Amino acid sequence: MEELRSMWRSRKADDVVLGDQRWAQVDKKARSLAGKYRSLGGGDGYGVRSSDDVIGFLACIMIGAPWCPAGEPAVEDDQRRQGKRYPPDALYVLTTSGSTGEPKEIIGSAAMTVERLKWASGPILRRTPVVFVDSIAEMLQVLVSRVVLGGRLTHLFEDCARLGAERLTLTPSLLAIALRTSRADAALAVHASGEPLPMWLVRDFREKLPNSTLVNVWGSAELSADVTFCDVTALECPECLARPVAPIGRPFRDTITVTPDLVVTGCSAVGLPETLRSGDLGDACKTCGNLVCLGRDDDVVNVAGIKVNLKLLEAQLGAPCVFLAHRDPSKQCIVVFSTRDIAVPGYCVLKKQEPPLLPTGKVDRQRLKIDAVFPPGEGTFRERGGTSLLAIEAAYRLGVSPAEVLDMPAVKRQKTRQRRRRVVVVDLGGCVDANPLVADDDAIYVGAHSTRFCKISFQGEILWERTVGAQKSGDAALEAGAATDGTLVFVGAYDGRLYCFSSTTGDLQWTYQAGGEIKNAALVLEDDVYVGSHDARVHRVSKLGKQIWATQVDGPVYGTPAKHTEILYATITGSLGGLGDDGQHVWRARATAPIFGALTVFQDHILYGAVDGIQTSHGKWNFMGSAAVFAPVRVVERLAVFVTNDGAVVARDLSSGITKWRCKIGPHPIFAAPCVADRLLFVVDTQGTLAVVSSRGEVQTRRTIGGEVYSSPALLPNGTTLVVGCRDTNSLHWIDVL
């Protein structure tokens, strides 16, 4: 610890080091507390359990006592000597939570902590809880720079600028929240730690904080905190930029070695082997050599920066648990199924119902994932799936504290109807045949025949608008729906181009030229974008706009490609097939008639309808229906739902294909797939008749929109309002349906 004491002696009395306290004040408090610790028998390798973080830590350094943070607020008598004597390099002792196994003691290295302080320093916002190893470097900035105190989670970047913090450490989960709830363009150095960092979040950061730096760091308490780092805002390697997760870079010291499978040598915590296997899956970029952390391959999941073993959690709670993954790490959570009132950790949500069972009596894990989704409705924020992390964003929007949000009741539907009784219509200057996309960034993306492509708020305000394509001979520039990965928005046009825009600014990033009209939404996966075209090809394009392959198929592709074990497509000449990662056909088949809708994948089913009325689960069953099918199939309550050209909705048992029910919406064709939400089907025919149909086939309500509809409706997150495009009114309509 001598080098840390040397840093202590180099501090000047007038330096502001902790909040607004000067070094002279901090030094006096730490020396006084050190005397108390010494009188209790602490020091010379004997640890002291202390409820005081920064001042208590400094006091321990002064007397050579490993700092042992108290788990709960301690009274004076709790600041006592621990019976164990630690090695000379022991700086702190953290106890893991036991979320991935038995709780274990981790002894932090003073020498490695000094290297960490040398590697990155500057005024830092103190916000990481002491149970996490990132808190150590935050607190000890008091020896080399300044520890900034305060800062609201709902206005994090503004408060950093206001308080003078230049650095802060965030999990990607919290970073995603901060980017949605902070507006200041502060010049910050942000360290992302604790979880894999999605590349879409890096792009979002670069757009919203162009003057800031984002460094992705990787490590663990067992590895003395940070091991590798990568400045992802300066990333230029095409291979790294095309990956779904950001690289973790290289070791921050030459004496540390890390293999591509993330086995680390040279920075273990005190008392652990010099070479450690991290437990994470790894890879290395073949172009630049940057290391990449791919997550785990065991029962451990990462939620809000906390590693949790699901099997152990189930054993502790006595209830089945399911991890709800999401592309946005802030929206991931663990759902616990129990009819009992049990206390669950803050990263979990309790769903008070019996878990679904198989005929054998075992828990149906596949069904568990479906039932874990929380539909909108009444109940508190917590009961509807809200976590403590999402409460931060809700608090920002409501102007209250996060603590108030968790048990806040939902607005009753009757009040919601009254509040949204106003009519909202957005004129887009041309037929709106494209399916509106309701995205996670609280916006709707939609295009029209007028060549206009817009981002529209849920209240109907156009946030940005761009012109694409080339209107020719009365044809539509835009009939395809949009697709997004959260940062980039993709839309195809009649000019054969796939356009890529920034979701935040609307700036055009690139275009990709196919050989024919694009009438379908792109399929966006982690690395690449797939789109079908009237040039009778399926195109795979990187998120940098570069062609990876374009595979010839047997006819024009009208529907969006789908992902099964392969990339699936269907054509309007009646062929369908699956393409491998290299773009080569894995299989081909032929239907009895053209297929206009996208193939629908549900578990091991590939579902579609054809214009001759045949309704099919590929390789399992097919039945003749009453009329042509032009729309994709929807699945609800293990029913495959087809809509037909004679105005009917037909539900078939997913396993057998047997008709379970059939209902008639009206005499007019239905060209658009229904919207499915909360076990309801929202069906619209071509003359604008909207019907709400239950999963049992009961028509609960009908109403007329007042326009011709050839696109699928979309439900807003409030669970009560549909948006739907109309062909003859050139508008996007908001419809209150519940």
Side-chain angles (χ1 to χ4, degrees):
M1 294 188 195
E2 185 53 39
E3 195 162 357
L4 291 170
R5 296 191 193 103
S6 176
M7 292 177 177
W8 183 317
R9 291 190 292 270
S10 69
R11 300 255 53 180
K12 297 178 180 178
D14 289 337
D15 290 344
V16 177
V17 296
L18 182 61
D20 58 0
Q21 297 180 74
R22 299 186 182 277
W23 177 250
Q25 299 169 279
V26 171
D27 178 77
K28 182 178 179 180
K29 292 177 182 177
R31 290 180 184 276
S32 173
L33 195 55
K36 181 184 293 186
Y37 289 170
R38 178 71 81 181
S39 68
L40 292 170
D44 300 325
Y46 287 100
V48 173
R49 183 166 296 281
S50 171
S51 60
D52 197 320
D53 52 12
V54 178
I55 302 295
F57 205 160
L58 291 175
C60 288
I61 290 171
M62 174 169 280
I63 62 174
W67 179 67
C68 310
E72 301 292 337
V75 297
E76 193 170 275
D77 288 344
D78 285 326
Q79 297 170 338
R80 59 186 179 273
R81 182 173 104 173
Q82 305 300 291
K84 179 178 179 180
R85 189 171 191 175
Y86 292 94
D89 191 42
L91 177 63
Y92 57 88
V93 181
L94 297 179
T95 302
T96 64
S97 65
S99 59
T100 61
E102 289 297 319
K104 56 186 176 184
E105 189 178 75
I106 303 296
I107 306 169
S109 162
M112 288 302 301
T113 302
V114 168
E115 294 299 323
R116 174 65 175 76
L117 293 175
K118 290 178 180 177
W119 171 65
S121 63
I124 191 168
L125 186 69
R126 171 83 178 93
R127 56 151 311 278
T128 305
V130 295
V131 294
F132 297 108
V133 71
D134 284 332
S135 67
I136 301 299
E138 283 184 1
M139 289 186 286
L140 292 187
Q141 284 297 316
V142 74
L143 293 175
V144 291
S145 182
R146 179 186 170 210
V147 176
V148 177
L149 303 177
R152 298 162 294 174
L153 288 173
T154 51
H155 298 78
L156 207 50
F157 300 142
E158 293 98 321
D159 285 355
C160 283
R162 176 175 58 85
L163 297 168
E166 298 174 4
R167 296 173 48 238
L168 74 160
T169 299
L170 300 172
T171 62
S173 301
L174 193 50
L175 175 60
I177 295 288
L179 288 172
R180 294 197 292 268
T181 60
S182 293
R183 297 288 178 256
D185 182 14
L188 294 170
V190 179
H191 285 191
S193 175
E195 300 171 292
L197 174 65
M199 276 305 300
W200 69 263
L201 193 54
V202 175
R203 293 189 287 267
D204 206 22
F205 180 95
R206 293 169 73 169
E207 288 184 353
K208 294 182 178 178
L209 294 174
N211 298 316
S212 295
T213 301
L214 179 60
V215 179
N216 193 26
V217 297
W218 174 83
S220 68
E222 292 87 347
L223 298 170
S224 298
D226 301 335
V227 177
T228 68
F229 76 100
C230 181
D231 180 355
V232 292
T233 43
L235 203 57
E236 295 181 350
C237 172
E239 183 181 343
C240 288
L241 290 169
R243 285 180 177 268
V245 294
I248 58 175
R250 302 172 186 273
F252 75 92
R253 263 200 338 169
D254 292 340
T255 56
I256 301 172
T257 61
V258 185
T259 65
D261 54 352
L262 301 186
V263 175
V264 183
T265 302
C267 60
S268 302
V270 177
L272 295 180
E274 186 171 349
T275 298
L276 285 177
R277 182 173 294 277
S278 67
D280 289 333
L281 292 173
D283 192 12
C285 175
K286 295 178 178 62
T287 303
C288 68
N290 272 329
L291 295 166
V292 181
C293 177
L294 302 174
R296 312 276 297 200
D297 65 347
D298 51 17
D299 293 314
V300 175
V301 296
N302 209 319
V303 187
I306 302 170
K307 291 179 179 177
V308 181
N309 187 305
L310 287 177
K311 287 187 177 178
L312 285 175
L313 183 65
E314 289 186 340
Q316 291 165 2
L317 298 178
C321 305
V322 63
F323 174 60
L324 282 189
H326 197 283
R327 59 175 297 279
D328 183 340
S330 70
K331 297 180 180 180
Q332 296 183 153
C333 71
I334 295 173
V335 181
V336 181
F337 285 79
S338 177
T339 57
R340 299 176 290 121
D341 281 317
I342 58 175
V344 298
Y347 50 79
C348 296
V349 176
L350 177 63
K351 191 158 190 180
K352 295 189 72 175
Q353 69 176 56
E354 292 286 356
L357 300 178
L358 293 166
T360 60
K362 294 182 178 180
V363 173
D364 185 344
R365 292 281 166 185
Q366 188 62 43
R367 184 69 196 178
L368 202 66
K369 294 179 181 179
I370 299 170
D371 287 355
V373 177
F374 287 78
E378 296 186 8
T380 66
F381 180 84
R382 193 196 309 266
E383 289 167 347
R384 288 179 292 126
T387 62
S388 55
L389 196 61
L390 288 177
I392 298 170
E393 184 173 3
Y396 169 80
R397 297 183 184 281
L398 295 172
V400 298
S401 71
E404 294 177 83
V405 169
L406 285 170
D407 295 311
M408 185 177 287
V411 178
K412 291 183 179 179
R413 282 181 172 173
Q414 181 179 3
K415 293 182 180 179
T416 302
R417 284 200 300 270
Q418 292 172 351
R419 189 175 68 249
R420 297 187 180 273
R421 185 68 68 182
R422 65 189 179 91
V423 175
V424 179
V425 178
V426 177
D427 188 346
L428 294 179
C431 301
V432 184
D433 281 347
N435 297 337
L437 171 68
V438 175
D440 287 341
D441 58 353
D442 294 348
I444 302 158
Y445 296 92
V446 68
H449 290 204
S450 61
T451 76
R452 294 166 63 184
F453 181 63
C454 300
K455 178 179 181 178
I456 305 172
S457 74
F458 288 165
Q459 292 72 41
E461 175 190 0
I462 295 180
L463 303 175
W464 54 253
E465 176 183 326
R466 299 293 179 265
T467 299
V468 305
Q471 196 171 19
K472 54 181 182 179
S473 304
D475 280 344
L478 283 171
E479 186 174 307
T484 182
D485 67 357
T487 301
L488 301 174
V489 183
F490 309 90
V491 65
Y494 263 48
D495 62 0
R497 288 189 177 95
L498 179 67
Y499 291 81
C500 174
F501 298 96
S502 161
S503 64
T504 306
T505 65
D507 293 340
L508 181 65
Q509 305 297 300
W510 49 261
T511 64
Y512 169 81
Q513 183 68 60
E517 299 162 343
I518 299 176
K519 295 186 176 183
N520 57 79
L523 169 68
V524 180
L525 300 181
E526 290 180 337
D527 295 315
D528 303 311
V529 182
Y530 300 80
V531 68
S533 169
H534 275 227
D535 63 0
R537 286 182 171 87
V538 176
H539 300 258
R540 179 181 178 183
V541 185
S542 78
K543 289 186 180 177
L544 298 176
K546 306 299 182 184
Q547 184 187 87
I548 298 173
W549 46 254
T551 298
Q552 185 79 40
V553 296
D554 295 333
V557 179
Y558 204 97
T560 298
K563 180 70 170 76
H564 194 225
T565 52
E566 306 90 20
I567 299 298
L568 308 181
Y569 70 88
T571 73
I572 60 173
T573 60
S575 63
L576 61 155
L579 303 175
D581 194 57
D582 58 359
Q584 299 300 307
H585 273 93
V586 177
W587 60 269
R588 293 187 181 194
R590 181 159 291 278
T592 53
I595 303 171
F596 278 83
L599 301 178
T600 297
V601 175
F602 184 82
Q603 297 175 358
D604 59 343
H605 291 267
I606 301 172
L607 302 158
Y608 63 90
V611 299
D612 62 355
I614 295 290
Q615 301 170 8
T616 301
S617 174
H618 179 68
K620 298 182 183 298
W621 49 258
N622 60 75
F623 293 91
M624 175 61 76
S626 59
V629 177
F630 287 94
V633 183
R634 294 290 188 247
V635 177
V636 58
E637 293 289 284
R638 295 198 62 80
L639 297 173
V641 179
F642 299 79
V643 292
T644 65
N645 206 35
D646 62 353
V649 182
V650 180
R652 297 187 179 277
D653 179 80
L654 195 60
S655 299
S656 65
I658 300 299
T659 301
K660 304 299 287 186
W661 52 260
R662 184 179 188 274
C663 71
K664 191 83 168 173
I665 303 303
H668 305 293
I670 303 173
F671 273 18
C675 171
V676 178
D678 199 11
R679 302 179 185 180
L680 295 175
L681 297 157
F682 301 92
V683 187
V684 187
D685 69 19
T686 56
Q687 294 304 301
T689 299
L690 167 65
V692 181
V693 183
S694 75
S695 59
R696 296 184 297 274
E698 302 161 343
V699 178
Q700 297 188 348
T701 184
R702 279 188 180 88
R703 62 180 298 177
T704 300
I705 293 174
E708 297 177 0
V709 178
Y710 284 74
S711 63
S712 295
L715 190 68
L716 296 185
N718 65 9
T720 65
T721 307
L722 284 176
V723 288
V724 62
C726 290
R727 172 173 282 192
D728 55 343
T729 66
N730 301 338
S731 301
L732 188 68
H733 293 248
W734 273 242
I735 309 294
D736 188 12
V737 291
L738 295 176

